[in-house]
Amino acid sequence: MPKESVMADAEVRETVRSWLTEHWDINRPLDEWRECLVDGGWAAPAWPVEFFGRGYSVEQAALVAQTFEEFGAVGPAQGGPRRLASHTLLTHGNDAQKQAFLRQILTGEHGWCQLFSEPGSGSDLAGLSTKAQRVGDRWIINGQKVWNTSAHHADYGLLLARTDWDVPKHQGLSYFLIDMHQPGVEVRPLRQMNGHASFNEVFFSDAWVLPEHLLGAEGEGWSIAATTLSIERQGFSSERSGGRAKNLTGAIYDQYRSELAVELAPYTWYPQRTGRVDLAYPRAKASGKIDDPALRQALAKLLSMKKSADLTEALAAVKQRAGNNRVSPEGSVGKLAASAIARQAAHVHTLISGAGAMLGGDDSAHEGVVAEILLSVPAISIAGGTDEIQKNIVAERVLGLPKEPRFDRGPFRDVPRNAVDN
Amino acid sequence: MPKESVMADAEVRETVRSWLTEHWDINRPLDEWRECLVDGGWAAPAWPVEFFGRGYSVEQAALVAQTFEEFGAVGPAQGGPRRLASHTLLTHGNDAQKQAFLRQILTGEHGWCQLFSEPGSGSDLAGLSTKAQRVGDRWIINGQKVWNTSAHHADYGLLLARTDWDVPKHQGLSYFLIDMHQPGVEVRPLRQMNGHASFNEVFFSDAWVLPEHLLGAEGEGWSIAATTLSIERQGFSSERSGGRAKNLTGAIYDQYRSELAVELAPYTWYPQRTGRVDLAYPRAKASGKIDDPALRQALAKLLSMKKSADLTEALAAVKQRAGNNRVSPEGSVGKLAASAIARQAAHVHTLISGAGAMLGGDDSAHEGVVAEILLSVPAISIAGGTDEIQKNIVAERVLGLPKEPRFDRGPFRDVPRNAVDN
Amino acid sequence: MAVGFTQDQEQFREVVGRFFAAKSPVTEVRKLMQEDRGYSRDLWAQMAQELGVLGIHYPEEYGGYGFGAVELGIVAQEMGRYLYCGPYFASVIMAGYALINEGSQAQKERWLPGMAAGSILAALVLDDLDDVAQVGQKISWNAQRGLNGTADIVLDAHNADLLIVGAGTESGVGLFLLPADDSRVVITRKTSLDETRKLSQVCFVDAPATPLGDGHCDLVRLWDQLSTALAHEMIGGAEHLFNRTLEYLKMRVQFGRAIGSFQALKHRCADLLMSLELARAATHAAARYVAWGDGDAYAANMAKAMAGDAYMAIAEQAIQLRGGIGFTWEDDTHLWFKRAKSSEVFLGSPNWHREALIQKIEADQELQHA
Amino acid sequence: MAVGFTQDQEQFREVVGRFFAAKSPVTEVRKLMQEDRGYSRDLWAQMAQELGVLGIHYPEEYGGYGFGAVELGIVAQEMGRYLYCGPYFASVIMAGYALINEGSQAQKERWLPGMAAGSILAALVLDDLDDVAQVGQKISWNAQRGLNGTADIVLDAHNADLLIVGAGTESGVGLFLLPADDSRVVITRKTSLDETRKLSQVCFVDAPATPLGDGHCDLVRLWDQLSTALAHEMIGGAEHLFNRTLEYLKMRVQFGRAIGSFQALKHRCADLLMSLELARAATHAAARYVAWGDGDAYAANMAKAMAGDAYMAIAEQAIQLRGGIGFTWEDDTHLWFKRAKSSEVFLGSPNWHREALIQKIEADQELQHA
């Protein structure tokens, strides 16, 4: 067998295809198929051989995925939080932790969720105050988390909690793997203004974590969280598509569709959050509002912003591929541009609808999509870091302007914080 | 003679009218007439009797001015800086200083100027660094001032300088009356981007001030300057109009017009600084651009802002008359609104002119006024306190938001400042 | 140019404000917005009897209080502040103004006293809520066949006893009156973006209706009156949201300091205050114009456009400055946000009103030069 | 969607940038803007011989370098950055594009080599600089009487040897060519708002002129080419002003701290950066469209509108953030401010280009559905 890292593309494809030909069966139960996938090393070919993978390069792994897609075979369990968990574990977990958790992530046996944000620390994530205290042979957890997608059907959580209150805020955090099925953990759905409930709040009252489920060392939580956050920033758009398999016929596809429906449920309104620029011109045309000169101006602004933001993003990608890894202006303004575009899109959709924008739910235009746009767009300039934080970053890191004075450098115990935390 | 403060309006008018009938003569030289005015107590009827006035109330003094206006008589010497000087002297001067300076202000014999701002301290006026050092029997002045209207024909200046570098910045300032006709004082005109030169820079190189021309006590400069600034904020619009006298025929009027021409020269472009909203609709109509729907939107925004700002100002005035002296939202947003209106007006004039806005000087539309608008409007959000400072004030004083952290509370010597100062 | 309020008016505002603060807490708003009827009959009766605002601007001879647009504006502003849920805008303001403006003496005698007393609810059916010049294109009336056509969005039609309907006729657009329970009227409830304001579609099939007055009407005047009242409602809502946001900024701590101490947020608030102050001045001026013809013919357009922009800007920032929590259902901000969005487009968008403003100036100039 | 520049192009930009940094310092700009001619003949010769940019986008067979809109854009961007004063835009770009697009082979042979070598200056006379559809309304041509009419604003006509004139004819609008010193041409100098760009009025009285090519022309294509080049010039100026402003904010101290540490100013700079980045991306895309038809038909409109808005916003803030000193003649900011204002309205306002953008999308959609 040739060394896998030097395998030619065609060889990779052929290896996958022959393995699939042998093992793929649309009448096999999904969980059984996933076990087989993991055993074969095909669930995560880029992972190390000792941890369920084949040590492939990222490019080779992409080829595998592509071949699966062409073949119509269902891949390993996906879903954003699972990927956060597996990648963080791969980077920072010890062997025992990797053995304990990685397999069940790939098979889909275990669901995961992220437990970082708190009501009292949004923009200021490192100012969180959920408390982890070592009592006897356990860590005891008390506090509250929020914005926890999938927490209501997660088996384990990636928990960031404060273990030391006498050091500056970033230094007192630790990273835990917490069992969500215990009496001290309560998950409540959190509804948004657009009617969807994509997130949860999670309450900890003397919940516990075993010492062996501390990830990394005590006090290293912030740097480990940085790994999780950087994976999160890469986005999940490809995973959310579901691929070709979601449209095929067969027992395993039915199971896959059910899984997908659950996992993607929180995200159905995400396209509307961007303002749905794609609908702007067609709606203006269909409604006849395209003849309103003020709308034409607003629409032209919208389309220009969108088009030039796409161009800017493409340029940033080119530069990144060229190995230019310093913070580039092109990349950094993308998030701000997305907010500006979504707001302008909401404005344009409002102009198109006129008084029709008074209607909500399914009575709203485009089968209810327009109302959902108007009520979802406010999220885009908040989620994943507010525009305000992003502007600070752009001003300081890209433009080199001086930093804001800081008032939270001392021991966390002495830093002013919200009443809700104390 | 009845006590003047209880004199009826009609009686005031009658007293003025009969005095004018006796003394007014259009063939009298202007300076002689002004001496006569001062001797009669009519140059500043609201001032105390011992200092050239009659002790009238502000309302009575207004009646006097109105009667002068109706009669067609020329009043005392006016001009912004003179009024700043006289009011500051009246409030903070000792008797000798009042005797030494007030009369020549009213007669017009002495011109004055204000010497506060510096290149290194604009928004941060109290951070100024012109140095006054006591050497023997004199104060020796070194430093540079800027934005000094009328300094090129002033006889005396209101000078704010630092006398103590070892106390916090507001406490180390003193207020001087400086003779502008001395070798250590150099005045250079400062040209603006619109081509006018309304201001000066003033350079002090070992210039001197007599000890008796220190106003108030050493170190009291900041609080005295506050008086000057509050008078400045009241504006000079009525004085700048010149009144009816500027259109009458007669020798004294000719002299008055010459005086006025000199004093008002720096202000000819001030109306353009506001954006000339009055010209927007007529120009749009005359040019046919009124049929451009996008212009109509911009114009409607402009006219709405202007109209509602006028209404807001009127409401603030009503509240102030009603004795409601706390900082009112209506009053505080006026300056910001003026900036927003001027910017929008410049935008509208640009839309109306189209490519015609490429023309400058007299070739620009409306006999050159449009180019002057476009090149003067940037001043309105800077002069008399930038919009940024005004927004801080509104946010803190009106809205009660917390103050910015300060970095300039210690001894001035240790406060970081611009290289130009040191 | 008269500005400001009399002491009586200020006092009245306080009374009305206290009333709705007590009677329309946000818990009540949240309850009513879930219900189909969408208002409390008890409170409606109290508004008639205790507060006396149901006929505030109706002439005294018809059971009203004989006040005008200024006092009605005060009521609307306070209702907007507390997000009062009920058919006040639909019945008292919209249908009420139509009746006062155009009704014959007999019609006013027949309907206004009951409306002022709270025993009759009416709704004004307009088949276009974007542009007054388009009203009467989709609903027609003639003496033989009565009313035919559909209005897609009607406020509180499902609560109404009486409908007043704008319809095209051979001689222009007129207003027509008929009982809401006529079998040839089909009222279909619609979902609202702003669930505190109940909407229906109203469809007429050969529905007999009586002309209001002589069957002609000054729709522009009516539109100005309604726009002015709506602008007041928006100002009240904007004030509430702005004040709540300031409180939040002073209380919320991040990075060891109240977020209201961050200069970017401070300056944004100063900008919002300016928009709010200007819009409020414009709105109160519109009330004086509607009441006494004092001021500019475009006063109502100016008010509706500025109030709409200011309210939306404040509503957007009220969410943004709260961050994630502002986007939740649990937080109250979205209730006002939805009212702001819905009011922005109701009775003409800001753009529409700006265009109308310029048209009025042009007409005025032509008059002057004629 | 191709994006970015090749290494050769980046290198070319550096060479051009260094050249103008050295040859067009602001002292030189201030000197030339006071003069009537407004450019240095020496520098012009160097631009021809050393830098080789006078015929950068002319075909090689006519003495040019055979490059296209991308390379021309690089030159324009660097010129805009350093506020180069001279007839480059008028002659090389405006008249040059007209000749390349529409000239007969003989005409190109006659004129382009001289223009590329720097010995001939041309100017393009358009009687409307607001709206390409209006060109040819004020100047007419016919075979008998030649050219008649007036163009109010023409760049560098007083420096030109050759005029190319847009004029209405019986069969549409065409371009016509005549020597600038013809006695039936009256060139009157006009004062510019932006004194680094010299303007004249040009008046024709029965002036004989030869049709360029067959007398027909694609004015929209020409307008797109010119708008794209102008957008590049604006981006260069905007970049310069933005960078200068950032330097100032880092250096200027008030209240004991660099004013660039104030959050409101930091956020404003982030907003300006966003506008600049988007406008730059749009502008470089327009060059690719003009060069190879790659991208959207409205690319030039998008570029001109976005570059215009971004440049003006940056220019306004460049003054504002400097405070009083930014308003003085002595400070250099106003030089770029004036160029920004003048460029905003030259060859169609941002509003005009946005309207044109929508029209092109509509035309494209109709084509797709036809």
Side-chain angles (χ1 to χ4, degrees), chain B residues 60-187:
Chain B
Q60 288 172 326
L63 267 185
V64 173
Q66 200 187 325
T67 312
F68 266 64
E69 174 76 10
E70 288 158 10
F71 201 91
V74 173
Q78 311 184 67
R82 275 199 194 89
R83 194 157 73 97
L84 299 183
S86 62
H87 281 70
T88 306
L89 276 162
L90 276 169
T91 312
H92 298 283
N94 57 34
D95 284 2
Q97 290 166 335
K98 289 179 191 168
Q99 285 296 354
F101 293 111
L102 287 176
R103 183 180 180 94
Q104 291 87 331
I105 290 175
L106 294 174
T107 62
E109 189 184 338
H110 287 168
W112 283 73
C113 66
Q114 186 188 13
L115 303 164
F116 283 12
S117 292
E118 298 182 5
S121 61
S123 291
D124 180 17
L125 180 59
L128 62 84
S129 60
T130 286
K131 185 177 293 196
Q133 242 177 324
R134 186 64 185 261
V135 180
D137 65 345
R138 306 230 159 152
W139 289 96
I140 303 298
I141 314 295
N142 282 286
Q144 183 192 343
K145 296 289 177 179
V146 73
W147 309 120
N148 315 109
T149 317
S150 306
H152 56 302
H153 51 70
D155 302 287
Y156 287 92
L158 303 169
L159 171 70
L160 200 56
R162 186 165 304 279
T163 46
D164 189 345
W165 297 65
D166 294 311
V167 293
K169 63 178 185 177
H170 294 91
Q171 297 166 29
L173 303 176
S174 300
Y175 200 117
F176 299 94
L177 312 170
I178 188 170
D179 182 349
M180 297 292 283
H181 301 299
Q182 54 168 311
V185 176
E186 189 194 346
V187 178

Side-chain angles (χ1 to χ4, degrees), chain C residues 314-340:
Chain C
I314 287 172
E316 284 176 3
Q317 288 304 321
I319 293 176
Q320 179 68 25
L321 293 173
R322 269 176 186 73
I325 192 73
F327 190 64
T328 61
W329 189 269
E330 193 180 319
D331 186 84
D332 297 327
T333 310
H334 72 99
L335 305 175
W336 276 262
F337 177 94
K338 289 167 181 172
R339 177 65 71 89

Side-chain angles (χ1 to χ4, degrees), chain B residues 210-226:
Chain B
L210 294 175
E212 57 261 42
H213 291 167
L214 170 70
L215 195 65
E218 195 181 327
E220 278 185 9
W222 184 251
S223 63
I224 301 175

Side-chain angles (χ1 to χ4, degrees), chain A residues 119-120 122-124 147 191-193 294 350 354-355 358-360 363 375 379 381-382 388 404 407-408 416 418, chain C residues 130 153 190-193 199 252-257 268 319-320 323-324 327-329 334 337-338 341 345 351:
Chain A
S123 291
D124 180 15
W147 310 121
R191 195 173 170 205
Q192 298 113 239
M193 64 177 276
T350 301
M358 297 174 77
L359 295 170
D363 290 328
L375 301 182
S381 42
I382 295 171
E388 287 73 17
E404 279 287 305
F407 295 85
D408 55 354
N418 294 301
Chain C
D130 289 315
I153 302 177
K190 292 283 169 187
T191 309
S192 312
L193 183 101
L199 305 179
R252 172 80 173 175
V253 175
Q254 292 282 275
F255 306 103
R257 54 195 278 203
R268 206 180 295 167
I319 293 176
Q320 179 68 25
F327 190 64
T328 61
W329 189 269
H334 72 99
F337 177 94
K338 289 167 181 172
K341 177 53 77 179
V345 296
N351 280 355

Side-chain angles (χ1 to χ4, degrees), chain A residues 311-328:
Chain A
L311 288 161
T312 305
E313 198 186 322
L315 184 59
V318 165
K319 285 197 180 176
Q320 205 172 27
R321 274 198 300 277
N324 187 341
N325 267 327
R326 65 184 178 85
V327 188
S328 80

Side-chain angles (χ1 to χ4, degrees), chain A residues 237-250:
Chain A
S237 48
S238 64
E239 299 172 8
R240 277 181 198 147
S241 76
R244 198 163 74 87
K246 76 168 186 290
N247 301 314
L248 298 175
T249 309

